[in-house]
């Protein structure tokens, strides 16, 4: 509480504290806050129970609530979403991400439709799309190659072109070169922030510490050095998607159904999005079992090696599916990953295939 209060007071906010869920409900009724940050796990009354009690009071039916959840309890994210929260923060959190989420939610709550920017739109962001803004055609080509297997990639050669692309496509993430001529990356960011709350990633010249610091303060979620490695750019973009897209949109992107088989497509395991999706997959497995699904295709094509760090989450998902009576086939064209999985007792007898169609036939 002390750290949260310290960070948020620097944004000019008035803070009221409570040590448990019951005290939080009482403090909310007394002070009528514009926003509530609530821990999921607390003594006396937990955060989910406290939120449910507040929602039963008409005075708090629409009060925005951000839930705080520990790193080891990421599965609470889906339950939070069901209770109508405005957002959630996984602890330990990043100060910039905390401040950005809080100020964004407070700004949305305080804004009337008449105060919207002329070009602003309420059209939802597209979690499948990223916009790359750079005056170098070479950089645009390299960025497109790094990201096109994961997302739809749009490009713009200048800030004004980026604004037009953003109005049409509503990308979940925008990657912007800081040093563009004319409208630079900082002015472009300021214009885009007035149009939507996407994730923003800066491209900065390697070693330019001052530019990196200025980018952080301006509101960029991440900074990638140029020349960049494809994996680094892809990781930051997918992490930004994970920040701005709610769990429901992530499920639409990575969970599908084909021929009576549910399909889970794991993202790049080096991204923060991978860690966020794993508990959502676990929750979805239980929902599939309740809906009568008994077949699952686990598409792990994004896993690029057979390290224990990458393989263990696959094993956990397989074990959970088996415990629910769901048969699983693994889809991967990567021989190294396949060999690693076949060395593990829990996965050595699982059906394997190089494509989703072949995996579906394995389960018939």
């Amino acid at each position: 509480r002390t750290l949260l209060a310290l960070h948020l007071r620097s944004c000019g906010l008035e803070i009221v504290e409570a040590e448990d869920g019951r005290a939080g409900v009482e403090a909310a009724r007394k002070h009528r806050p514009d926003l509530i940050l609530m821990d999921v796990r607390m003594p006396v009354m937990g955060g989910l129970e406290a939120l449910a009690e507040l929602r039963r009071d008409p005075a708090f039916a629409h009060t925005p609530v951000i839930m705080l959840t520990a790193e080891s309890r990421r599965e609470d994210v889906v339950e939070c979403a069901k209770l109508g929260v405005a957002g959630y923060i996984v602890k330990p959190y990043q100060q910039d991400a905390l401040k950005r989420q809080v100020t964004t939610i407070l700004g949305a709550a305080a804004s009337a439709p008449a105060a919207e920017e002329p070009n602003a739109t309420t059209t939802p962001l597209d979690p499948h799309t990223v916009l790359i803004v750079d005056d170098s055609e070479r950089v645009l080509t390299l960025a497109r190659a790094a990201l096109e297997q994961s997302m739809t990639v749009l490009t713009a050669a200048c800030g004004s072109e980026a604004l037009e692309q953003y109005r049409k496509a509503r990308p979940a993430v925008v990657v912007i070169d800081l040093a563009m001529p004319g409208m630079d990356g900082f002015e472009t960011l300021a214009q885009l922030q007035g149009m939507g709350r996407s994730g923003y990633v800066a491209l900065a010249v390697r070693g330019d510490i001052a530019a990196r610091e200025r980018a952080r303060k301006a509101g960029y979620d991440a900074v990638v050095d140029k020349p960049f490695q494809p994996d680094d750019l892809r990781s930051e973009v997918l992490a930004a998607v994970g920040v701005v897209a709610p769990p429901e949109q992530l499920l639409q992107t990575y969970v599908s159904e084909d021929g009576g088989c549910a399909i889970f497509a794991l993202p790049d395991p080096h991204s923060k999005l991978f860690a966020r999706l794993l508990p959502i997959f676990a929750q979805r497995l239980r929902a599939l079992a309740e809906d009568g699904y008994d077949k699952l295709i686990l598409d792990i094509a994004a896993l690029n090696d057979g390290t224990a760090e990458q393989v263990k989450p696959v094993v956990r998902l397989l074990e959970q599916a088996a415990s629910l009576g769901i048969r699983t086939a693994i889809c991967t064209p990567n021989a190294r990953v396949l060999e690693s999985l076949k060395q593990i007792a829990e996965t050595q007898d699982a059906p394997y295939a190089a494509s989703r169609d072949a995996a579906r036939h394995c389960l018939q």
Side-chain angles (χ1 to χ4, degrees), residues 268-344:
D268 184 343
H270 295 100
S271 71
K272 297 176 183 176
L273 180 58
F274 184 79
R276 182 184 174 192
L277 272 172
L278 287 177
I280 297 176
F281 282 153
Q283 291 285 341
R284 184 59 180 159
L285 274 176
R286 286 189 282 273
L288 288 173
E290 291 176 359
D291 290 341
Y293 282 86
D294 62 352
K295 296 186 288 291
L296 169 69
I297 296 172
L298 195 57
D299 187 337
I300 59 172
L303 276 66
N304 51 24
D305 59 52
T307 62
E309 180 183 4
Q310 292 192 13
V311 169
K312 284 181 179 178
V314 177
V315 174
R316 287 197 295 269
L317 286 173
L318 286 172
E319 290 178 330
Q320 183 178 6
S323 71
L324 294 168
I326 299 175
R327 295 183 296 124
T328 305
I330 300 174
C331 171
T332 176
N334 191 310
R336 182 185 302 176
V337 174
L338 179 59
E339 187 60 31
S340 296
L341 288 169
K342 287 187 174 181
Q343 300 302 314
I344 301 173

Side-chain angles (χ1 to χ4, degrees), residues 7 10 15 22 32 36 50-51 57 60 63 78 84 86 129 134 149 153 183 203 224 248 268 276 299 319 346 356:
H7 297 153
S10 68
I15 308 299
R22 172 55 61 193
R32 297 300 176 93
I36 299 172
L51 174 59
D57 185 337
F60 295 97
T63 301
V78 173
T129 302
D134 199 298
Q149 290 187 347
V153 181
M183 185 187 294
L203 295 176
V224 175
E248 302 80 29
D268 184 343
R276 182 184 174 192
D299 187 337
E319 290 178 330
E346 294 85 350
R356 292 185 181 182

Side-chain angles (χ1 to χ4, degrees), residues 80-122:
C80 291
K82 292 178 181 178
L83 290 172
V85 300
Y88 70 92
I89 294 173
V90 176
K91 300 181 292 184
Y93 61 85
Q94 297 294 321
Q95 290 186 40
D96 290 343
L98 167 73
K99 293 179 180 179
R100 182 173 182 271
Q101 187 167 169
V102 167
T103 55
T104 294
I105 291 173
L106 286 174
S111 297
E116 290 285 341
E117 291 288 332
N119 294 322
T121 175
T122 57

